[in-house]
Amino acid sequence: MSPLPSVDAVLRLPDMALLVAEHGRSAVVDAVRSVLAMHRENRDKSRPQDAAIEAEVADLLSERAAPALRPVFNLTGTVLHTNLGRALLSEAAVEHAAMAMRQPCALEYDLETVGRGDRDTIIESILCELTGAEAATVVNNNAAAVLLVLAALAARREVVVSRGELVEIGGSFRIPDVMRSAQVKLVEVGTTNRTHARDYASAVGPKTAALMKVHASNYRVTGFTAAVSEAEVAAIAHGHGLPMITDLGAGSLIDMAALGLPKEPLVRDAIADGADVVTFSGDKLMGGPQAGLIVGRKDLIAKIRKHPLKRALRVSKITLAALEATLLAYRKPDLLVRDLPTLRLLSRQPDELRAVANRIQMPLAKALSADWTVSITDVSSQVGSGALPDEAIPSIALSVKPRAKTGKALGLLADRLRGLPKPVIGRIADGALLLDLRCLEDEAGFVAQLEHLA
Ligand SMILES: *Cc1c(COP(=O)(O)O)cnc(C)c1O
């Protein structure tokens, strides 16, 4: 076999100048070296053509330049899918975040007094307006918010929580572990299924720093149960001169039931019921960027803001910009369902989804071979991100089934859909691959890439 060309010889090939213009010289040289090294190892093969080497270098360069974070079609039926990035942001939020990335912005700069400002002021007044709270601050996510609140208000002291609320949220957020990280002693009261007001009252002692309620979002205790309401826990706390903390999780800013959706606690109600500090997520029902919102009493928020962890957990200007634009959308309540993708997707009606199904059923059936049937079926979507799994939202899916029963067929079909240029993620249930259409808005993009399925 004739020797392989040198790196320099490959770099002189006609297509290389274009690659250098696109990737820069050093990346191209690295790729050429990698390709030549690969051929040197495969000694048995004959010398590759120059054109083949060029093509391999080009492929390797595009592979190396491709981001790992890729857009997908979320047809799982779970609208706020944590593994697929939770809330989609409004166009206004995307634009405002882009502004903050492209241009200098008055992040911590008071344009009136020309003094140093606090980045919290960007969102504080609107958060107070939307929740009825006196003050507000924001950190990286709700897990961080709970950690910071506990560390700032209760370190080396005790916090009382019902045994029915010692929850684990997906992704290793567990209330007892967060308490330990904040150096707070957890005092459990009541039992798994029943907790009474007297349980809270008798747990209060000289070391108690606060009473806490955690919204047990992702599971429900049914049967012989008793829980103490927010207002009652607050009254007990206040009777002892203590603050009451509530971790709402998804915490909505509007009444979901008015949109025909499963009821979720409102942040405003928690404040009205007497909670002194409430934490909730920015990228769950609120429909904004990942963030942990903390609203409540002015003196407590001031203490929280002064804690050193606040600086460690603070949000970026990108997050703040997206958050501000999201909150501003709530000043136009009539347009929320149009403007916030999370609420828009959650409130799509089965009729609309059936029309989508009718339009794409044939293109999908054609793109798959005759070995498959594609039918339209009623399914249930979920809110996701800790909302109750049994509070289903009626939806429509395309159900793809193999004509012949073969064990692995569905898994292989799921692989093929995930292998598309923009991967399609469905779910397998009852012997079918279900593509829930609730979150499919780009029908044209979906249909256009079906040719790659063959
Ligand atoms: C989701 C959730 C959290 C965690 O919030 P992140 O924003 O994911 O960090 C904490 N507590 C409750 C009750 C939740 O539902």
Side-chain angles (χ1 to χ4, degrees):
M1 157 177 152
S2 55
L4 282 166
S6 68
V7 172
D8 283 336
V10 174
L11 287 171
R12 282 192 298 271
L13 292 174
D15 284 359
M16 287 296 138
L18 272 176
L19 292 177
V20 169
E22 190 181 340
H23 299 273
R25 192 177 159 79
S26 59
V28 174
V29 170
D30 278 351
V32 170
R33 286 209 178 101
S34 303
V35 166
L36 292 177
M38 195 185 66
H39 282 289
R40 213 168 292 123
E41 273 163 32
N42 301 348
R43 247 167 297 193
D44 47 349
K45 286 199 192 141
S46 54
R47 185 187 194 282
Q49 302 280 316
D50 286 350
I53 294 182
E54 279 182 312
E56 283 165 18
V57 170
D59 283 351
L60 182 57
L61 283 165
S62 14
E63 200 180 297
R64 287 182 178 170
L69 184 59
R70 291 170 59 195
V72 302
F73 283 104
N74 171 15
L75 305 191
T76 61
T78 301
V79 177
L80 295 171
H81 197 301
T82 297
N83 306 131
L84 301 180
R86 288 194 187 162
L88 308 181
L89 275 67
S90 67
E91 283 310 309
V94 171
E95 267 175 36
H96 203 41
M99 173 288 294
M101 288 192 275
R102 290 206 177 95
Q103 304 177 55
C105 53
L107 179 65
E108 295 179 346
Y109 189 89
D110 189 324
L111 290 168
E112 267 147 43
T113 65
V114 200
R116 189 176 188 284
D118 183 328
R119 61 179 71 193
D120 277 357
T121 47
I122 291 168
I123 43 81
E124 183 167 27
S125 63
I126 185 154
L127 264 174
C128 292
E129 172 190 320
L130 296 171
T131 62
E134 289 171 7
T137 182
V138 54
V139 286
N140 183 56
N141 55 21
N142 189 35
V146 175
L147 176 71
L148 173 62
V149 168
L150 290 171
L153 303 184
R156 290 173 300 280
R157 292 164 70 203
E158 298 174 351
V159 170
V160 180
V161 187
S162 160
R163 287 198 170 87
E165 297 174 4
L166 294 176
V167 299
E168 172 179 312
I169 313 292
S172 75
F173 175 90
R174 302 171 120 191
I175 289 293
D177 296 346
V178 178
M179 292 260 175
R180 209 169 303 122
S181 309
Q183 296 193 333
V184 170
K185 178 153 186 266
L186 167 64
V187 175
E188 306 177 17
V189 295
T191 60
T192 309
N193 57 329
R194 287 172 74 83
T195 301
H196 306 281
R198 60 177 183 275
D199 295 325
Y200 284 96
S202 59
V204 173
K207 289 194 166 167
T208 310
L211 305 192
M212 182 173 186
K213 265 190 86 78
V214 181
H215 180 54
S217 34
N218 53 2
Y219 79 106
R220 178 144 58 192
V221 183
T222 56
F224 185 55
T225 64
V228 186
S229 74
E230 207 100 43
E232 280 178 279
V233 177
I236 298 165
H238 299 159
H240 290 87
L242 296 170
M244 191 259 198
I245 301 167
T246 298
D247 172 18
L248 271 191
S252 180
L253 295 177
I254 55 158
D255 182 8
M256 290 287 151
L259 297 177
L261 292 165
K263 194 154 179 54
E264 274 289 326
L266 271 90
V267 182
R268 174 176 286 285
D269 289 347
I271 293 286
D273 282 345
D276 299 285
V277 176
V278 179
T279 71
F280 58 104
S281 293
D283 56 354
K284 291 185 178 171
L285 284 176
M286 209 190 88
Q290 180 189 302
L293 300 137
I294 308 173
V295 300
R297 239 167 64 194
K298 208 177 180 100
D299 58 323
L300 299 176
I301 297 292
K303 207 166 167 189
I304 289 163
R305 209 175 264 149
K306 272 200 224 100
H307 192 278
L309 267 180
K310 170 66 174 39
R311 174 63 178 79
L313 301 173
R314 81 176 181 191
V315 294
S316 72
K317 62 177 180 177
I318 305 169
T319 298
L320 264 177
L323 189 58
E324 183 184 25
T326 306
L327 292 168
L328 286 172
Y330 282 86
R331 280 201 180 135
K332 303 176 187 170
D334 300 342
L335 305 182
L336 271 175
V337 167
R338 182 193 75 184
D339 292 345
L340 289 188
T342 300
L343 297 181
R344 183 170 72 229
L345 295 175
L346 283 172
S347 33
R348 287 176 95 188
Q349 296 298 313
D351 283 351
E352 180 191 348
L353 301 176
R354 197 178 296 277
V356 176
N358 281 325
R359 286 192 292 270
I360 64 176
Q361 179 184 23
M362 274 303 281
L364 180 62
K366 273 191 194 146
L368 295 165
S369 68
D371 298 341
W372 299 91
T373 62
V374 180
S375 57
I376 298 175
T377 182
D378 293 316
V379 292
S380 294
S381 303
Q382 291 183 14
V383 177
S385 272
L388 274 179
D390 58 348
E391 299 258 32
I393 308 169
S395 187
I396 299 292
L398 289 177
S399 164
V400 188
K401 287 184 180 165
R403 283 188 199 278
K405 286 255 178 309
T406 62
K408 288 187 196 147
L410 279 177
L412 291 173
L413 177 65
D415 291 348
R416 279 168 75 197
L417 286 164
R418 266 200 323 275
L420 286 169
K422 181 165 168 179
V424 172
I425 322 275
R427 70 176 196 272
I428 292 176
D430 307 329
L433 181 74
L434 296 177
L435 303 177
D436 187 318
L437 301 175
R438 174 163 301 281
C439 296
L440 180 63
E441 292 197 295
D442 178 18
E443 276 175 58
F446 178 85
V447 171
Q449 67 163 359
L450 287 177
E451 56 174 351
H452 297 280
L453 262 186

